[in-house]
Amino acid sequence: MADQDFRLFAFQEEAADKLRAAALNWVGHSVTHGVPRYGSQPIPFIGQLRAVTGSGKTPMLADAVAGLGDAVVIWTSKSAAVVEQTYKNLRGRYRSLLPANDVRIMRDIPSQADWQHFLTAPTGITIWVLTTAAWNELEAANAGGDANARLSLHRPQPDWSGTTSPWELMRTQLKRPLWIVSDESHNQSSTQLEILANLQPMGFFLASATPVQNELFEKWREALTSDPNWDSLMEAGTVPVRTRDVVSEELLKTTIELFDNNSGFEEDLDSVLGTMAQLDEALLADHASVTPKAIYVVEKSNPPRGSSEEARPVVIWNYLRSKGVDADQIAIYTNTRDVPEDAEKISSLGQLQDRHRHIIFNQALQEGWDDPEAYVAYFDGRTNSFVRIRQIIGRILRQPNARTFESERLNTATVYINTPTENFEQVLADLKKELRLYAPENEPSAIPIRVKTKKNPLPGINPKPDLNDLTLPRWSLKAPNMTGAQQKLRSRGASPWAREFLDHTGIGQMSVLSLAAEEVIKSSPIDVLRSARTRNGIFLRRRLLARNRACLNAIHPDAIVGPSYEQESCQSSLCQEELENLISEIAASFEDRVEYQLDPDPDRITWSIGEHRPRNSDLLDFTNATHAQYSAADFNPDELLFARTLDSTGEGIWMRNPASVELGYGIPLPIKVGDSSKFYPDFIWWRDGTTWAIDTTGSHLMNDKIRGKLIGLEQPKIALVVRGKWDIARGTKIDTNGWTSVIARTALTPVVNHAEDLPSILTSFTP
């Protein structure tokens, strides 16, 4: 059954919209300028959704695919577990993201009727979820008796496809455009992706936590860079999701403990059980209904042939039992031949039960198993591969109930590895690099998830004593009267559009091209643009979300109702152009009139200082800061210079403000700046009865609408300090030397100061 209540988070909606729009813009440009080519080969659209494990790549891809119109989709992954879970979710939890009607989702060997529909149906969406072994001859040979190996699409399948191979039929006889979705595409080899390219799909959607490297794809990219339009369309196809946004929605745990244990097998497992006991204690204190789980990763399911050793899964099972763990709490998910009589051995993800708190496995759970209650991972034996470690960490990184708990232990994933000393630092560096990939551009060193190690446990640093009076009010946006905007929306919803306004502009004239040579290549893009439609109400809501989330939240849902919002329109249609104009008008009116108010929630009206959570072991000492030390990783060069200068004044007390929903002080923005809807000032300075919120980046205050509202706050006073001399009115730098400060004045224009050094700049900060 579909989950009718399932909704994407805002960052997921925006990513899916960007990906789908990039694909359709590519197709539209192909219609008007011809399909791009590499030699004689047509170049398909290449979309890359780059997002950390746990961000929800599958629902984002499903939402993107849903807007492609009539289509055949091959949704593939190397992992059978990923495929099994994807098939289940597309038919169940994520089904509401796909069109309500004319959708088929296939798995394994199809019936003759399903195959004929897949091949010949002119309309609707059909998604065939397959492992790579189904269409890759080499993998099929290695898969033995696996069902996907028997499926091999390169061989005739008389029972359902006749005497011609399904692969050849797909290549030549599909009536609908073909799209490829490659989940966990970092696991797919260049050869595999090139095999799929031989089907001449309309485009690829590659989902991965890391960039996908492929020689053929790189050649396609090089061929397109000479044309600025194609180059821009190609770049738009790469859609990164910021890890910070995923963490902000509380989808991921906020801390990873990485312990390198060399003390011996029994001591290591004792540490795992100790961590599980700590989790149980924290659950009682937090009154949380979560069942923490531990996973145990073995490299081999059975001992070498002729050996008298016990299989490692059995050794682990016996030790857990000796420590009092009930047998029904342990699952062995390996192909181990001989297991104890009362051991429970499972053969699929579907057999895992809530009571299984200790799960022993080798490859099966490497990807595709999504259980946020998994907290602890133990690697049995030596582990040198960061790729392997990263994949397992992904299984324990999701956060239960999508909310941060009061106890830090319940927000922490713990990993026990055994790796050579010389490799541990590299593993640690690789992990931090992975978590840092999707940081904001102005925070290239930021790691949104804290990494702790046994060698460097990185305890939190509490504020200095007697700082309880250093608080700040929490602000929220007070929406203006939206009656006029809602009347316009209702009026627009009451009048349906004529058909010509809903269709893509000029599509009728472009269809003449389908009579030219290379008919399939020419007509397919047109077919896509004709059928790729979005319900107008969804289009309006999502475009307004991307423009201004606060504005959308201020509009009653009943305002976006009416027959015209139930209609579906093509991208670039006159209907969507008119809706874009309406969105701009409503958002601009909101941004001009929105005001700040104290947070109406009495439990949130006051913000107070929390602990500092170091990002690395390189700690810097400060005399006049709220915390005695800060991590060096929390500063870029200009920020560190400012911190040292601020500390040296000896006046008041200051803190480095983390850009963290959990710990930092943030002020909502009336309009989005880049990808940010909240302003986290770099520094907070309590001095002579006045509190200053000081930012050393400046991008938030270069926009007139933000500068006019944000810096008008009484508490704290907002100020900008930025390197160089700036013309604030024009937002341009006029000299690279010196410094500029912009200081708020209530109901007056801000004071702009220029000075040659930072100490001189700080003298302008007066009550």
Side-chain angles (χ1 to χ4, degrees):
M1 293 291 291
D3 186 347
Q4 299 297 329
D5 296 328
F6 184 83
R7 294 268 316 258
L8 294 176
F9 290 98
F11 77 86
Q12 294 172 328
E13 284 190 286
E14 291 181 34
D17 272 345
K18 287 179 181 178
L19 202 58
R20 179 173 52 251
L24 295 179
N25 285 336
W26 177 281
V27 172
H29 200 66
S30 298
V31 169
T32 54
H33 295 84
V35 177
R37 293 179 175 278
Y38 176 68
S40 62
Q41 185 179 28
I43 301 176
F45 168 74
I46 305 294
Q48 290 196 39
L49 178 63
R50 296 182 55 200
V52 70
T53 295
S55 59
K57 292 191 287 292
T58 300
M60 284 187 272
L61 290 169
D63 192 71
V65 165
L68 297 177
D70 302 322
V72 168
V73 180
I74 293 180
W75 194 306
T76 185
S77 175
K78 184 176 181 179
S79 166
V82 171
V83 166
E84 180 182 339
Q85 185 155 298
T86 299
Y87 176 73
K88 177 181 176 183
N89 283 334
L90 290 177
R91 289 171 56 88
R93 188 181 183 199
Y94 304 147
R95 178 60 182 85
S96 61
L97 299 174
L98 299 170
N101 301 310
D102 213 3
V103 174
R104 293 196 183 195
I105 302 167
M106 296 164 43
R107 173 79 172 98
D108 295 329
I109 300 173
S111 66
Q112 288 185 4
D114 281 343
W115 172 249
Q116 286 303 311
H117 183 275
F118 177 88
L119 202 62
T120 63
T123 61
I125 295 179
T126 302
I127 301 174
W128 198 0
V129 189
L130 297 167
T131 65
T132 55
W135 48 264
N136 183 303
E137 292 275 61
L138 179 60
E139 282 197 37
N142 292 334
D146 182 82
N148 289 284
R150 299 193 300 273
L151 178 57
S152 182
L153 300 181
H154 294 278
R155 305 172 194 160
Q157 300 287 343
D159 291 344
W160 51 275
S161 72
T163 58
T164 305
S165 74
W167 191 265
E168 182 64 17
L169 293 172
M170 283 193 293
R171 199 178 67 82
T172 59
Q173 296 189 22
L174 281 175
K175 303 301 182 186
R176 290 169 288 176
L178 171 65
W179 299 85
I180 306 292
V181 174
S182 176
D183 203 356
E184 302 292 352
S185 51
H186 54 272
N187 281 331
Q188 302 213 356
S189 69
S190 294
T191 302
Q192 290 169 354
L193 293 173
E194 288 169 21
I195 290 172
L196 292 169
N198 289 332
L199 290 174
Q200 294 192 356
M202 187 65 61
F204 286 83
F205 293 97
L206 309 174
S208 176
T210 53
V212 177
Q213 303 296 326
N214 178 275
E215 184 177 352
L216 177 61
F217 287 10
E218 290 305 315
K219 289 178 179 178
W220 286 342
R221 289 179 181 277
E222 290 173 9
L224 296 170
T225 53
S226 59
D227 184 320
N229 291 317
W230 281 117
D231 190 43
S232 176
L233 289 165
M234 176 181 62
E235 290 300 320
T238 298
V239 179
V241 173
R242 297 191 312 175
T243 303
R244 192 174 79 182
D245 290 338
V246 186
V247 174
S248 294
E249 294 291 357
E250 302 181 287
L251 296 179
L252 300 180
K253 298 179 174 77
T254 58
T255 302
I256 296 174
E257 290 181 324
L258 185 64
F259 290 169
D260 184 15
N261 277 358
N262 292 296
S263 51
F265 164 75
E266 294 182 351
E267 290 83 354
D268 293 350
L269 286 187
D270 285 344
S271 297
V272 172
L273 294 174
T275 301
M276 291 288 284
Q278 293 172 11
L279 285 163
D280 288 340
E281 291 176 9
L283 286 167
L284 291 174
D286 216 304
H287 305 289
S289 56
V290 174
T291 306
K293 297 178 175 65
I295 57 179
Y296 303 79
V297 188
V298 296
E299 294 299 319
K300 294 182 179 180
S301 300
N302 294 287
R305 189 173 298 275
S307 171
S308 60
E309 297 178 4
E310 276 192 310
R312 292 305 297 174
V314 174
V315 173
I316 294 172
W317 188 92
N318 283 330
Y319 191 79
L320 294 177
R321 293 288 290 120
S322 73
K323 290 295 183 176
V325 178
D326 292 339
D328 65 357
Q329 292 187 4
I330 310 171
I332 299 179
Y333 190 8
T334 67
N335 61 356
T336 305
R337 289 184 293 270
D338 299 315
V339 299
E341 184 176 345
D342 56 341
E344 187 171 359
K345 187 176 172 183
I346 64 173
S347 58
S348 71
L349 289 172
Q351 293 178 301
L352 284 173
Q353 305 292 323
D354 289 341
R355 59 183 169 80
H356 291 138
R357 298 192 60 192
H358 302 266
I359 305 163
I360 306 167
F361 70 98
N362 48 18
Q363 299 288 332
L365 296 186
Q366 193 160 288
E367 291 172 345
W369 183 59
D370 298 328
D371 188 342
E373 294 186 328
Y375 269 89
V376 187
Y378 162 79
F379 287 81
D380 187 61
R382 289 287 179 104
T383 306
N384 300 324
S385 168
F386 168 67
V387 172
R388 184 104 159 95
I389 294 171
R390 179 191 64 201
Q391 290 166 338
I392 300 303
I393 287 177
R395 308 280 63 83
I396 63 172
L397 203 51
R398 290 168 175 81
Q399 179 73 350
N401 304 331
R403 76 172 183 89
T404 301
F405 294 101
E406 184 121 353
S407 169
E408 180 63 15
R409 169 50 65 191
L410 298 177
N411 306 322
T412 300
T414 305
V415 184
Y416 292 92
I417 65 173
N418 186 345
T419 190
T421 303
E422 63 273 14
N423 289 356
F424 180 76
E425 292 302 325
Q426 186 59 51
V427 167
L428 184 60
D430 286 342
L431 175 60
K432 291 180 177 179
K433 181 180 178 181
E434 177 79 9
L435 298 175
R436 202 163 43 228
L437 273 176
Y438 315 107
E441 289 184 2
N442 61 347
E443 296 181 41
S445 64
I447 303 174
I449 299 174
R450 187 170 62 141
V451 179
K452 298 166 64 175
T453 71
K454 185 176 182 181
K455 298 175 182 178
N456 174 23
L458 299 181
I461 299 173
N462 291 320
K464 295 174 181 175
D466 304 322
L467 295 181
N468 295 331
D469 58 332
L470 298 182
T471 61
L472 285 172
R474 293 186 192 268
W475 295 96
S476 63
L477 293 174
K478 181 182 180 181
N481 188 315
M482 301 297 289
T483 301
Q486 293 176 153
Q487 287 175 343
K488 289 181 180 179
L489 288 168
R490 291 192 180 98
S491 175
R492 179 58 273 178
S495 303
W497 275 277
R499 174 55 54 191
E500 60 265 27
F501 288 91
L502 299 170
D503 291 337
H504 184 280
T505 307
I507 197 68
Q509 292 83 357
M510 290 302 171
S511 63
V512 175
L513 293 176
S514 65
L515 301 177
E518 299 170 317
E519 180 176 344
V520 174
I521 299 299
K522 291 291 185 181
S523 65
S524 290
I526 296 169
D527 294 339
V528 171
L529 295 183
R530 282 197 181 114
S531 65
R533 297 172 181 271
T534 304
R535 190 181 303 171
N536 290 331
I538 293 175
F539 174 85
L540 185 145
R541 196 187 76 81
R542 290 194 172 178
R543 284 292 191 271
L544 189 52
L545 170 68
R547 167 68 185 264
N548 195 308
R549 185 186 306 183
C551 178
L552 176 63
N553 292 338
I555 293 172
H556 196 282
D558 289 349
I560 311 178
V561 296
S564 76
Y565 293 135
E566 295 302 314
Q567 291 178 290
E568 295 182 337
S569 58
C570 292
Q571 184 160 313
S572 302
S573 63
L574 293 174
C575 164
Q576 291 195 3
E577 289 180 8
E578 185 176 331
L579 288 175
E580 289 280 16
N581 291 335
L582 179 60
I583 290 165
S584 294
E585 179 185 348
I586 290 173
S589 174
F590 175 89
E591 291 159 4
D592 288 339
R593 298 183 298 125
V594 68
E595 297 177 354
Y596 280 99
Q597 65 177 1
L598 292 174
D599 196 307
D601 184 347
D603 294 329
R604 287 180 43 83
I605 197 169
T606 300
W607 174 89
S608 56
I609 304 169
E611 67 176 7
H612 168 63
R613 294 180 183 169
R615 288 177 175 155
N616 63 16
S617 58
D618 186 6
L619 299 177
L620 305 175
D621 297 324
F622 294 96
T623 303
N624 297 303
T626 54
H627 303 80
Q629 293 178 311
Y630 288 114
S631 168
D634 281 291
F635 302 94
N636 64 31
D638 280 356
E639 291 167 348
L640 182 56
L641 178 60
F642 186 84
R644 291 297 191 198
T645 304
L646 199 60
D647 201 58
S648 66
T649 65
E651 299 182 16
I653 192 164
W654 62 274
M655 73 168 287
R656 177 69 169 104
N657 184 45
S660 159
V661 174
E662 186 182 3
L663 296 172
Y665 180 71
I667 304 171
L669 293 172
I671 68 172
K672 184 183 290 186
V673 177
D675 290 326
S676 299
S677 297
K678 209 164 191 179
F679 168 55
Y680 288 92
D682 294 327
F683 298 91
I684 299 173
W685 189 19
W686 291 267
R687 178 194 180 199
D688 297 332
T690 301
T691 306
W692 296 92
I694 306 170
D695 199 61
T696 58
T697 303
S699 60
H700 298 85
L701 300 184
M702 291 304 175
N703 183 286
D704 287 339
K705 290 183 179 178
I706 289 182
R707 194 165 64 245
K709 291 181 170 35
L710 184 60
I711 66 174
L713 292 176
E714 287 277 2
Q715 176 76 343
K717 288 190 173 182
I718 310 295
L720 159 67
V721 174
V722 61
R723 183 181 287 275
K725 294 181 181 178
W726 284 76
D727 182 337
I728 298 300
R730 297 178 180 174
T732 58
K733 184 183 288 188
I734 56 180
D735 191 343
T736 58
N737 297 315
W739 295 81
T740 297
S741 68
V742 184
I743 299 178
R745 293 192 301 172
T746 305
L748 296 171
T749 57
V751 174
V752 180
N753 296 292
H754 301 299
E756 296 304 317
D757 55 48
L758 277 177
S760 300
I761 282 287
L762 288 179
T763 61
S764 61
F765 285 77
T766 56

